[in-house]
Amino acid sequence: MASKDIRLWVRERPANALGLDWAWSHSYTPTGETRPASVAVRLRLVNPGAEPWTLAGAALVDSTGEEVDLTRWQEAPIPANGAGAVVVGIKGERAQLGCPCTLKLWEAQGPRTVTFVNVTFPVSQQAAP
C-alpha cells in the first residue's frame, strides 16, 4: 500500500459547494503486478453552507474521459459551517485508470457538488524482476 499527500496538486473548481482541507490518495499493487488492484482518496472537506452535506455519489474520470463510479464511505454528514471526512475508492480492473483524474462528489439531497482535478495515485511497488 502506498499513500501520497495530494493537497498541493489537486485543484478545486470555483463553484465547489465544499472546500478542501486535506487530500490523500492511496493505491495497492500486489507483489509482482505492475498495475494497482485498488485505489482510494481520503478527503477532509469544509462545509461553509447553512445545511449539512451528505455524500450520495462519487465518480472518477480518467485522462481518456472514462468515468467510473466509486464506492464511498462517510461516517457522518459534514455539518453546516463544519468539516468532515469522506473516503472513495475502487478495486479490480476498473482501478487501472489513466491519471491525472477528475474526482466528482455529489450530495444526497440537493444540487451541491464538489469537483477536484489533477488527482493522482502513488505507485505502491514495482513488479518483481
Side-chain angles (χ1 to χ4, degrees):
M1 172 77 90
S3 299
K4 177 179 175 181
D5 182 351
I6 58 172
R7 175 62 182 108
L8 294 178
W9 293 276
V10 169
R11 298 291 171 244
E12 301 177 61
R13 293 271 168 90
N16 278 356
L18 305 178
L20 182 61
D21 188 15
W22 51 256
W24 282 82
S25 66
H26 309 276
S27 69
Y28 169 70
T29 304
T31 301
E33 298 291 324
T34 59
R35 304 285 307 245
S38 62
V39 296
V41 180
R42 280 187 314 141
L43 306 161
R44 180 171 162 84
L45 302 170
V46 178
N47 180 2
E51 298 292 326
W53 190 89
T54 301
L55 179 65
L60 203 58
V61 182
D62 77 2
S63 58
T64 67
E66 181 178 357
E67 184 168 326
V68 178
D69 289 332
L70 302 175
T71 301
R72 59 205 176 274
W73 179 83
Q74 180 179 22
E75 187 172 11
I78 299 172
N81 297 308
V86 299
V87 178
V88 296
I90 192 166
K91 66 179 183 174
E93 186 68 28
R94 306 285 297 202
Q96 299 176 10
L97 297 167
C99 288
C101 297
T102 298
L103 176 61
K104 300 177 182 180
L105 308 173
W106 55 93
E107 69 176 332
Q109 301 296 324
R112 297 180 297 168
T113 62
V114 181
T115 302
F116 301 108
V117 296
N118 204 35
V119 174
T120 59
F121 297 93
V123 175
S124 63
Q125 65 183 4
Q126 299 298 321

